[in-house]
Amino acid sequence: MPFRSAAELLSLCEVRNLSIAELQLINEIAYRPQADLLACLDSIGTAMHACIDRGLRTDGELPGGLKVRRRARALFQSLDTAAPTTWFQPTT
């Protein structure tokens, strides 16, 4: 189901009674097997979670020459002390 703009995308979703995610899944599996697509998405999700976990555990500077200080760990720790026990915890 091709579309050329956000308006066309939303119109297609409304006409077909699909969410944007459902319509995009239909479009993606037109080009590759659904199992391959889902495996690729799982791989991306795993990489994203690993990046988040690493950021929540690491102090110092970000890689590269810009000398950007890492802030995620300190921010997470300050939120974690004020949050209920059901709040997000990094995976191990």
Side-chain angles (χ1 to χ4, degrees):
M1 290 181 236
F3 54 90
R4 293 184 179 177
S5 68
E8 285 183 20
L9 169 62
L10 294 174
S11 177
L12 272 172
C13 289
E14 186 176 337
V15 168
R16 307 276 180 155
N17 196 28
L18 297 169
S19 70
I20 293 173
E22 290 168 329
L23 186 132
Q24 195 55 42
L25 178 62
I26 291 166
N27 283 344
E28 290 292 334
I29 61 177
Y31 293 101
R32 70 179 94 191
Q34 185 172 350
D36 291 351
L37 173 65
L38 296 178
C40 182
L41 292 174
D42 284 343
S43 175
I44 292 168
T46 298
M48 290 172 65
H49 284 284
C51 183
I52 292 167
D53 287 345
R54 187 173 52 254
L56 295 177
R57 290 191 177 93
T58 308
D59 285 322
E61 291 181 355
L62 290 169
L66 298 178
K67 299 192 182 284
V68 176
R69 184 178 57 87
R70 292 180 182 266
R71 299 179 307 216
R73 183 174 183 204
L75 179 59
F76 175 73
Q77 288 172 337
S78 70
L79 291 172
D80 193 40
T81 58
T85 57
T86 57
W87 211 77
F88 171 81
Q89 294 295 318
T91 57
T92 22

Coordinates of all heavy atoms in Angstrom, one line a residue:
M1 N 0.8 -1.2 0.0 CA 0.0 0.0 0.0 C 0.9 1.2 0.0 O 1.2 1.8 1.1 CB -0.9 0.0 1.2 CG -2.0 -1.1 1.2 SD -3.0 -1.0 2.7 CE -2.8 -2.7 3.2
P2 N 1.3 1.7 -1.2 CA 2.2 2.8 -1.2 C 1.5 4.1 -0.8 O 0.3 4.3 -1.0 CB 2.6 2.9 -2.7 CG 1.5 2.1 -3.4 CD 0.9 1.1 -2.5
F3 N 2.3 5.0 -0.3 CA 1.8 6.4 0.1 C 2.9 7.4 -0.2 O 4.1 7.0 -0.1 CB 1.3 6.4 1.5 CG 2.3 6.0 2.5 CD1 3.2 6.8 3.1 CD2 2.3 4.6 2.9 CE1 4.1 6.4 4.0 CE2 3.2 4.2 3.8 CZ 4.1 5.1 4.4
R4 N 2.6 8.6 -0.4 CA 3.6 9.6 -0.7 C 3.7 10.7 0.3 O 4.5 11.6 0.3 CB 3.3 10.2 -2.1 CG 3.5 9.3 -3.2 CD 3.3 10.0 -4.5 NE 3.6 9.0 -5.6 CZ 3.4 9.3 -6.8 NH1 3.0 10.5 -7.2 NH2 3.6 8.4 -7.7
S5 N 2.8 10.7 1.3 CA 2.8 11.8 2.3 C 2.2 11.2 3.6 O 1.5 10.2 3.6 CB 2.0 13.0 1.8 OG 0.6 12.6 1.8
A6 N 2.3 12.0 4.7 CA 1.7 11.6 5.9 C 0.2 11.6 5.8 O -0.5 10.7 6.3 CB 2.2 12.5 7.0
A7 N -0.3 12.5 5.0 CA -1.8 12.6 4.8 C -2.3 11.4 4.1 O -3.3 10.8 4.5 CB -2.1 13.9 4.1
E8 N -1.6 10.9 3.1 CA -2.0 9.7 2.4 C -1.9 8.5 3.3 O -2.7 7.6 3.3 CB -1.1 9.5 1.2 CG -1.4 10.3 0.0 CD -0.6 10.0 -1.2 OE1 0.0 8.9 -1.3 OE2 -0.5 10.9 -2.1
L9 N -0.8 8.4 4.1 CA -0.7 7.3 5.1 C -1.8 7.3 6.0 O -2.5 6.2 6.2 CB 0.6 7.5 5.9 CG 0.9 6.6 7.1 CD1 0.9 5.1 6.6 CD2 2.1 6.9 7.8
L10 N -2.2 8.4 6.6 CA -3.3 8.4 7.6 C -4.6 8.1 6.9 O -5.5 7.4 7.5 CB -3.4 9.8 8.2 CG -2.2 10.1 9.1 CD1 -2.3 11.6 9.6 CD2 -2.1 9.2 10.3
S11 N -4.8 8.5 5.6 CA -6.0 8.2 4.9 C -6.1 6.7 4.6 O -7.2 6.1 4.8 CB -6.0 9.0 3.6 OG -7.2 8.6 2.8
L12 N -5.0 6.1 4.2 CA -5.0 4.7 4.0 C -5.3 3.9 5.3 O -6.1 2.9 5.2 CB -3.6 4.2 3.5 CG -3.3 4.2 2.0 CD1 -1.9 4.0 1.7 CD2 -4.2 3.2 1.3
C13 N -4.8 4.3 6.4 CA -5.0 3.7 7.6 C -6.5 3.8 8.0 O -7.1 2.8 8.5 CB -4.2 4.3 8.7 SG -2.4 3.9 8.6
E14 N -7.1 4.9 7.8 CA -8.5 5.1 8.1 C -9.4 4.3 7.2 O -10.3 3.6 7.7 CB -8.9 6.6 8.0 CG -10.3 6.9 8.4 CD -10.6 8.4 8.4 OE1 -9.7 9.2 8.4 OE2 -11.8 8.7 8.3
V15 N -9.1 4.3 5.9 CA -9.9 3.5 5.0 C -9.8 2.0 5.2 O -10.8 1.3 5.2 CB -9.5 3.9 3.5 CG1 -10.1 2.9 2.5 CG2 -9.9 5.3 3.2
R16 N -8.6 1.5 5.5 CA -8.4 0.1 5.7 C -8.6 -0.3 7.2 O -8.5 -1.5 7.5 CB -7.0 -0.3 5.3 CG -6.6 0.2 3.9 CD -7.0 -0.8 2.9 NE -6.6 -0.4 1.6 CZ -6.4 -1.2 0.6 NH1 -6.6 -2.5 0.7 NH2 -6.1 -0.7 -0.6
N17 N -8.9 0.6 8.1 CA -9.0 0.4 9.5 C -7.8 -0.3 10.1 O -7.9 -1.3 10.7 CB -10.3 -0.5 9.7 CG -10.7 -0.4 11.2 OD1 -10.4 0.5 11.9 ND2 -11.3 -1.5 11.7
L18 N -6.6 0.3 9.8 CA -5.4 -0.3 10.2 C -4.6 0.8 11.0 O -4.8 2.0 10.7 CB -4.5 -0.7 9.0 CG -5.0 -1.8 8.1 CD1 -4.1 -1.9 6.9 CD2 -4.9 -3.1 8.9
S19 N -3.8 0.4 11.9 CA -2.9 1.3 12.6 C -1.7 1.6 11.6 O -1.5 0.8 10.6 CB -2.3 0.7 13.9 OG -1.5 -0.3 13.6
I20 N -0.9 2.6 11.9 CA 0.2 2.9 11.1 C 1.2 1.7 11.1 O 1.7 1.3 10.1 CB 1.0 4.2 11.5 CG1 0.1 5.4 11.2 CG2 2.3 4.3 10.8 CD1 0.6 6.7 11.8
A21 N 1.4 1.1 12.3 CA 2.3 0.0 12.4 C 1.8 -1.2 11.6 O 2.6 -1.9 11.0 CB 2.4 -0.4 13.9
E22 N 0.5 -1.5 11.6 CA -0.1 -2.6 10.9 C 0.1 -2.4 9.4 O 0.5 -3.3 8.6 CB -1.6 -2.8 11.2 CG -1.8 -3.3 12.6 CD -3.3 -3.2 13.0 OE1 -4.0 -2.3 12.5 OE2 -3.7 -4.0 13.8
L23 N -0.2 -1.2 8.9 CA 0.0 -0.9 7.5 C 1.5 -1.0 7.1 O 1.8 -1.6 6.0 CB -0.5 0.5 7.1 CG -0.5 0.9 5.7 CD1 -1.8 1.4 5.2 CD2 0.6 1.8 5.3
Q24 N 2.4 -0.5 7.9 CA 3.8 -0.6 7.6 C 4.3 -2.1 7.6 O 5.1 -2.4 6.7 CB 4.6 0.2 8.5 CG 6.0 0.5 8.0 CD 6.1 1.1 6.6 OE1 5.3 2.0 6.2 NE2 7.0 0.6 5.8
L25 N 3.8 -2.9 8.5 CA 4.1 -4.3 8.5 C 3.7 -4.9 7.2 O 4.4 -5.7 6.6 CB 3.5 -5.0 9.7 CG 3.7 -6.5 9.8 CD1 5.2 -6.8 9.9 CD2 2.9 -7.1 10.9
I26 N 2.5 -4.6 6.7 CA 2.0 -5.2 5.4 C 2.9 -4.7 4.3 O 3.3 -5.6 3.4 CB 0.5 -4.7 5.1 CG1 -0.4 -5.4 6.1 CG2 0.1 -5.0 3.7 CD1 -1.8 -4.8 6.2
N27 N 3.3 -3.5 4.3 CA 4.3 -3.0 3.3 C 5.6 -3.7 3.3 O 6.2 -4.1 2.3 CB 4.5 -1.5 3.4 CG 3.3 -0.7 2.8 OD1 2.5 -1.2 2.1 ND2 3.3 0.6 3.2
E28 N 6.1 -3.9 4.5 CA 7.5 -4.5 4.7 C 7.4 -6.0 4.2 O 8.4 -6.4 3.6 CB 7.9 -4.4 6.1 CG 8.3 -3.0 6.5 CD 9.5 -2.4 5.8 OE1 10.4 -3.2 5.4 OE2 9.6 -1.2 5.7
I29 N 6.4 -6.7 4.6 CA 6.4 -8.1 4.2 C 6.1 -8.4 2.8 O 6.2 -9.5 2.3 CB 5.5 -9.0 5.2 CG1 4.0 -8.5 5.1 CG2 5.9 -9.0 6.6 CD1 3.0 -9.4 5.9
A30 N 5.7 -7.3 2.0 CA 5.6 -7.4 0.6 C 7.0 -7.5 0.0 O 7.1 -8.0 -1.2 CB 4.9 -6.2 0.0
Y31 N 8.1 -7.1 0.7 CA 9.4 -7.2 0.2 C 10.3 -8.3 0.7 O 11.3 -8.6 0.2 CB 10.1 -5.8 0.4 CG 9.5 -4.7 -0.4 CD1 8.6 -3.8 0.2 CD2 9.8 -4.5 -1.7 CE1 8.0 -2.8 -0.5 CE2 9.2 -3.5 -2.5 CZ 8.3 -2.6 -1.8 OH 7.7 -1.6 -2.6
R32 N 9.9 -8.8 1.9 CA 10.7 -9.9 2.5 C 9.8 -10.7 3.3 O 8.8 -10.3 3.8 CB 11.9 -9.3 3.3 CG 11.4 -8.6 4.6 CD 12.6 -8.1 5.4 NE 12.7 -6.7 5.0 CZ 13.8 -6.0 5.3 NH1 14.7 -6.4 6.0 NH2 13.9 -4.7 4.9
P33 N 10.2 -12.0 3.6 CA 9.4 -12.9 4.4 C 9.2 -12.3 5.8 O 10.1 -11.6 6.4 CB 10.2 -14.2 4.5 CG 11.1 -14.1 3.3 CD 11.4 -12.7 3.1
Q34 N 8.0 -12.4 6.4 CA 7.7 -11.9 7.7 C 8.6 -12.4 8.8 O 9.1 -11.6 9.6 CB 6.2 -12.2 8.1 CG 5.8 -11.5 9.4 CD 4.3 -11.7 9.7 OE1 3.6 -12.1 8.9 NE2 4.0 -11.3 10.9
A35 N 9.0 -13.6 8.7 CA 10.0 -14.2 9.7 C 11.3 -13.4 9.7 O 11.9 -13.1 10.7 CB 10.2 -15.7 9.5
D36 N 11.8 -13.1 8.5 CA 13.0 -12.4 8.3 C 12.9 -11.0 8.9 O 13.8 -10.5 9.5 CB 13.5 -12.3 6.9 CG 13.9 -13.7 6.3 OD1 14.0 -14.7 7.1 OD2 14.1 -13.8 5.1
L37 N 11.8 -10.4 8.5 CA 11.6 -9.0 9.0 C 11.5 -9.0 10.6 O 12.2 -8.1 11.2 CB 10.3 -8.4 8.4 CG 9.8 -7.1 9.0 CD1 10.8 -6.0 8.6 CD2 8.4 -6.8 8.5
L38 N 10.8 -9.9 11.1 CA 10.7 -9.9 12.6 C 12.0 -10.2 13.3 O 12.3 -9.6 14.3 CB 9.6 -10.9 13.0 CG 8.1 -10.5 12.6 CD1 7.1 -11.5 13.0 CD2 7.7 -9.1 13.1
A39 N 12.8 -11.1 12.7 CA 14.1 -11.4 13.2 C 15.0 -10.1 13.1 O 15.7 -9.8 14.1 CB 14.8 -12.5 12.4
C40 N 14.9 -9.4 12.1 CA 15.7 -8.1 11.9 C 15.2 -7.1 13.0 O 16.1 -6.5 13.6 CB 15.5 -7.6 10.5 SG 16.5 -6.1 10.2
L41 N 13.9 -7.0 13.2 CA 13.4 -6.1 14.2 C 13.8 -6.5 15.6 O 14.2 -5.6 16.4 CB 11.9 -5.9 14.1 CG 11.3 -5.3 12.8 CD1 9.8 -5.4 12.8 CD2 11.8 -3.8 12.8
D42 N 13.8 -7.8 15.9 CA 14.3 -8.3 17.2 C 15.8 -7.9 17.4 O 16.2 -7.5 18.5 CB 14.2 -9.8 17.3 CG 12.7 -10.2 17.5 OD1 11.9 -9.3 18.0 OD2 12.4 -11.4 17.3
S43 N 16.6 -8.0 16.3 CA 18.0 -7.7 16.4 C 18.2 -6.2 16.7 O 19.0 -5.8 17.5 CB 18.7 -8.1 15.1 OG 20.0 -7.7 15.0
I44 N 17.4 -5.4 16.0 CA 17.5 -3.9 16.3 C 17.1 -3.6 17.7 O 17.7 -2.8 18.4 CB 16.6 -3.2 15.3 CG1 17.2 -3.3 13.9 CG2 16.4 -1.7 15.7 CD1 16.2 -2.8 12.8
G45 N 16.0 -4.2 18.2 CA 15.6 -4.0 19.6 C 16.6 -4.5 20.6 O 16.9 -3.8 21.6
T46 N 17.2 -5.6 20.3 CA 18.3 -6.1 21.2 C 19.5 -5.1 21.3 O 20.0 -4.8 22.3 CB 18.8 -7.4 20.7 OG1 17.7 -8.4 20.8 CG2 19.9 -8.0 21.6
A47 N 19.9 -4.6 20.1 CA 20.9 -3.6 20.0 C 20.6 -2.3 20.8 O 21.4 -1.7 21.5 CB 21.3 -3.3 18.6
M48 N 19.3 -1.9 20.6 CA 18.9 -0.6 21.3 C 18.9 -0.8 22.8 O 19.3 0.0 23.6 CB 17.5 -0.3 20.8 CG 17.4 0.2 19.4 SD 15.8 0.5 18.8 CE 15.2 1.8 19.8
H49 N 18.4 -2.0 23.3 CA 18.4 -2.2 24.7 C 19.8 -2.3 25.3 O 20.1 -1.8 26.4 CB 17.6 -3.5 25.1 CG 16.1 -3.3 25.0 ND1 15.4 -2.7 26.0 CD2 15.2 -3.7 24.1 CE1 14.2 -2.7 25.7 NE2 14.0 -3.2 24.5
A50 N 20.7 -2.9 24.5 CA 22.1 -3.0 25.0 C 22.7 -1.6 25.1 O 23.5 -1.3 26.0 CB 22.9 -3.9 24.0
C51 N 22.4 -0.8 24.1 CA 22.9 0.6 24.2 C 22.4 1.4 25.4 O 23.1 2.1 26.1 CB 22.5 1.3 22.9 SG 23.1 3.0 22.7
I52 N 21.1 1.2 25.7 CA 20.5 1.8 26.9 C 21.2 1.3 28.1 O 21.6 2.1 29.0 CB 19.0 1.6 26.9 CG1 18.3 2.4 25.7 CG2 18.4 2.0 28.2 CD1 16.9 2.0 25.5
D53 N 21.3 0.0 28.2 CA 21.9 -0.6 29.4 C 23.3 -0.1 29.6 O 23.7 0.3 30.7 CB 22.0 -2.1 29.3 CG 20.6 -2.8 29.5 OD1 19.7 -2.1 30.0 OD2 20.5 -4.0 29.1
R54 N 24.1 0.0 28.5 CA 25.5 0.5 28.6 C 25.5 1.9 29.1 O 26.3 2.3 29.9 CB 26.2 0.3 27.2 CG 27.6 0.6 27.3 CD 28.3 0.3 25.9 NE 27.7 0.9 24.8 CZ 27.0 0.2 23.9 NH1 26.8 -1.1 24.0 NH2 26.4 0.9 22.8
G55 N 24.6 2.7 28.6 CA 24.5 4.1 29.0 C 24.1 4.3 30.4 O 24.6 5.2 31.1
L56 N 23.3 3.4 30.9 CA 22.9 3.5 32.3 C 24.0 3.0 33.3 O 23.9 3.2 34.5 CB 21.6 2.7 32.6 CG 20.4 3.3 31.8 CD1 19.1 2.4 32.1 CD2 20.1 4.7 32.2
R57 N 25.0 2.3 32.8 CA 26.0 1.8 33.6 C 27.4 2.5 33.5 O 28.3 2.2 34.2 CB 26.3 0.3 33.3 CG 25.1 -0.6 33.7 CD 25.6 -2.1 33.5 NE 24.6 -2.9 34.0 CZ 23.6 -3.5 33.2 NH1 23.6 -3.2 31.9 NH2 22.7 -4.3 33.7
T58 N 27.5 3.4 32.5 CA 28.8 4.0 32.2 C 28.9 5.4 32.5 O 28.0 6.2 32.3 CB 29.1 3.8 30.7 OG1 28.9 2.4 30.4 CG2 30.5 4.2 30.3
D59 N 30.0 5.8 33.2 CA 30.3 7.2 33.4 C 31.4 7.7 32.5 O 31.9 6.9 31.7 CB 30.8 7.4 34.9 CG 29.7 7.3 35.9 OD1 28.6 7.8 35.7 OD2 30.0 6.7 37.0
G60 N 31.8 8.9 32.6 CA 32.9 9.5 31.8 C 32.4 10.2 30.6 O 31.3 10.9 30.6
E61 N 33.1 10.1 29.5 CA 32.8 10.9 28.3 C 32.3 9.9 27.2 O 32.7 8.7 27.1 CB 34.0 11.6 27.7 CG 34.4 12.8 28.6 CD 35.7 13.5 28.0 OE1 36.2 13.1 27.0 OE2 36.0 14.5 28.6
L62 N 31.5 10.4 26.3 CA 31.1 9.6 25.1 C 32.2 9.5 24.2 O 33.1 10.3 24.2 CB 29.9 10.4 24.4 CG 28.6 10.4 25.2 CD1 27.6 11.4 24.5 CD2 28.0 9.0 25.2
P63 N 32.2 8.4 23.4 CA 33.3 8.2 22.4 C 33.3 9.4 21.4 O 32.3 10.0 21.1 CB 33.0 6.9 21.7 CG 31.8 6.3 22.5 CD 31.3 7.3 23.4
G64 N 34.5 9.6 20.9 CA 34.7 10.7 19.9 C 35.5 11.8 20.5 O 35.8 11.8 21.7
G65 N 35.7 12.8 19.8 CA 36.6 13.9 20.2 C 35.9 15.1 20.7 O 36.5 16.1 21.0
L66 N 34.6 15.1 20.9 CA 33.8 16.3 21.4 C 33.8 16.5 22.9 O 33.3 17.5 23.4 CB 32.4 16.2 20.8 CG 32.2 16.2 19.3 CD1 30.8 16.1 18.9 CD2 32.8 17.4 18.7
K67 N 34.3 15.5 23.6 CA 34.4 15.5 25.1 C 33.0 15.8 25.7 O 32.8 16.6 26.6 CB 35.4 16.6 25.5 CG 36.8 16.3 25.0 CD 37.8 17.1 25.7 CE 39.2 16.8 25.2 NZ 39.8 15.6 25.6
V68 N 32.0 15.1 25.2 CA 30.6 15.2 25.8 C 30.5 14.2 27.0 O 30.8 13.1 26.9 CB 29.6 14.8 24.7 CG1 28.2 14.8 25.3 CG2 29.7 15.7 23.5
R69 N 30.1 14.8 28.1 CA 30.0 14.1 29.3 C 28.7 13.2 29.3 O 27.7 13.6 28.8 CB 29.9 15.0 30.5 CG 29.8 14.3 31.9 CD 29.8 15.4 33.0 NE 28.6 16.3 32.9 CZ 27.4 16.0 33.4 NH1 27.2 14.9 34.0 NH2 26.5 16.9 33.2
R70 N 28.9 11.9 29.7 CA 27.7 11.0 29.8 C 26.9 11.5 31.0 O 27.4 11.8 32.1 CB 28.2 9.6 30.1 CG 28.9 9.0 28.9 CD 29.4 7.5 29.3 NE 30.1 6.9 28.2 CZ 29.6 6.2 27.3 NH1 28.3 5.9 27.3 NH2 30.3 5.6 26.4
R71 N 25.5 11.5 30.8 CA 24.6 11.9 31.8 C 23.6 10.9 32.2 O 22.9 11.0 33.2 CB 23.9 13.2 31.4 CG 24.8 14.3 31.1 CD 24.1 15.6 30.6 NE 23.2 15.2 29.5 CZ 23.0 16.0 28.5 NH1 23.5 17.2 28.4 NH2 22.2 15.6 27.5
A72 N 23.4 9.8 31.4 CA 22.3 8.9 31.6 C 22.4 8.2 32.9 O 21.3 8.1 33.6 CB 22.3 7.9 30.5
R73 N 23.6 7.8 33.3 CA 23.7 7.0 34.6 C 23.3 7.8 35.8 O 22.5 7.4 36.6 CB 25.1 6.5 34.8 CG 25.2 5.6 36.0 CD 26.6 5.0 36.1 NE 26.6 4.1 37.3 CZ 27.7 3.8 37.9 NH1 28.9 4.2 37.4 NH2 27.7 3.0 38.9
A74 N 23.8 9.1 35.9 CA 23.5 9.9 37.0 C 22.0 10.3 37.0 O 21.3 10.3 38.1 CB 24.3 11.2 37.0
L75 N 21.4 10.6 35.8 CA 20.0 10.9 35.7 C 19.2 9.7 36.2 O 18.2 9.8 36.9 CB 19.7 11.3 34.3 CG 18.2 11.6 34.0 CD1 17.7 12.8 34.9 CD2 18.0 12.0 32.6
F76 N 19.5 8.5 35.7 CA 18.8 7.3 36.0 C 18.9 7.1 37.6 O 17.9 6.8 38.2 CB 19.4 6.1 35.3 CG 18.7 4.8 35.8 CD1 17.4 4.5 35.4 CD2 19.4 3.9 36.6 CE1 16.8 3.3 35.8 CE2 18.8 2.7 37.0 CZ 17.5 2.4 36.6
Q77 N 20.0 7.2 38.1 CA 20.2 7.0 39.6 C 19.3 8.0 40.4 O 18.7 7.7 41.4 CB 21.7 7.1 40.0 CG 22.4 5.9 39.5 CD 23.9 6.0 39.8 OE1 24.5 7.1 39.9 NE2 24.6 4.9 39.8
S78 N 19.3 9.3 39.9 CA 18.5 10.3 40.7 C 17.0 10.0 40.5 O 16.2 10.1 41.5 CB 18.8 11.7 40.2 OG 18.3 11.9 38.9
L79 N 16.6 9.5 39.3 CA 15.2 9.1 39.2 C 14.8 7.8 39.9 O 13.8 7.7 40.5 CB 14.9 8.9 37.7 CG 14.9 10.2 36.8 CD1 14.7 9.8 35.3 CD2 13.8 11.1 37.2
D80 N 15.8 6.9 39.9 CA 15.5 5.6 40.6 C 15.3 5.7 42.1 O 14.5 5.0 42.6 CB 16.7 4.7 40.3 CG 16.4 3.2 40.6 OD1 15.3 2.8 40.3 OD2 17.3 2.6 41.2
T81 N 16.0 6.7 42.7 CA 15.8 6.8 44.2 C 14.5 7.4 44.5 O 13.9 7.2 45.6 CB 16.9 7.7 44.8 OG1 16.9 9.0 44.1 CG2 18.3 7.1 44.6
A82 N 13.9 8.2 43.5 CA 12.6 8.8 43.8 C 11.4 8.0 43.2 O 10.3 8.3 43.5 CB 12.6 10.2 43.1
A83 N 11.7 7.0 42.4 CA 10.6 6.3 41.7 C 10.2 5.1 42.5 O 10.9 4.5 43.3 CB 11.2 5.8 40.3
P84 N 9.0 4.6 42.2 CA 8.5 3.3 42.8 C 9.3 2.2 42.4 O 10.1 2.2 41.4 CB 7.0 3.2 42.3 CG 6.9 4.1 41.2 CD 8.0 5.2 41.3
T85 N 9.2 1.1 43.1 CA 10.1 -0.1 42.8 C 9.7 -0.8 41.4 O 10.5 -1.6 41.0 CB 9.9 -1.2 43.9 OG1 8.5 -1.5 44.0 CG2 10.5 -0.6 45.2
T86 N 8.6 -0.4 40.8 CA 8.2 -1.0 39.6 C 8.9 -0.3 38.4 O 8.6 -0.7 37.2 CB 6.7 -1.0 39.4 OG1 6.2 0.3 39.5 CG2 6.0 -1.9 40.4
W87 N 9.7 0.7 38.6 CA 10.3 1.5 37.6 C 11.2 0.7 36.8 O 11.7 -0.3 37.2 CB 10.9 2.7 38.2 CG 11.0 3.9 37.3 CD1 9.9 4.8 37.1 CD2 12.0 4.4 36.5 NE1 10.3 5.8 36.2 CE2 11.6 5.6 35.8 CE3 13.4 4.0 36.3 CZ2 12.4 6.3 35.0 CZ3 14.2 4.7 35.5 CH2 13.7 5.9 34.8
F88 N 11.6 1.1 35.6 CA 12.5 0.4 34.7 C 13.8 0.0 35.4 O 14.4 0.9 36.1 CB 12.8 1.3 33.5 CG 13.9 0.7 32.6 CD1 13.6 -0.3 31.7 CD2 15.2 1.2 32.7 CE1 14.6 -0.8 30.9 CE2 16.2 0.7 31.9 CZ 15.9 -0.3 31.0
Q89 N 14.3 -1.2 35.2 CA 15.6 -1.6 35.6 C 16.4 -2.1 34.4 O 15.9 -2.8 33.6 CB 15.5 -2.7 36.7 CG 14.8 -2.3 38.0 CD 15.6 -1.3 38.7 OE1 16.8 -1.4 38.8 NE2 15.0 -0.3 39.2
P90 N 17.7 -1.7 34.4 CA 18.5 -2.2 33.2 C 18.6 -3.8 33.3 O 18.5 -4.4 34.4 CB 19.9 -1.7 33.5 CG 19.7 -0.7 34.6 CD 18.4 -0.9 35.3
T91 N 18.6 -4.4 32.1 CA 18.8 -5.8 32.1 C 20.2 -6.2 32.3 O 21.1 -5.4 32.2 CB 18.3 -6.4 30.7 OG1 19.1 -5.7 29.7 CG2 16.9 -6.1 30.4
T92 N 20.4 -7.4 32.8 CA 21.8 -7.9 33.0 C 22.1 -9.1 32.2 O 21.3 -9.7 31.6 CB 22.0 -8.3 34.5 OG1 20.7 -8.6 35.1 CG2 22.7 -7.2 35.2

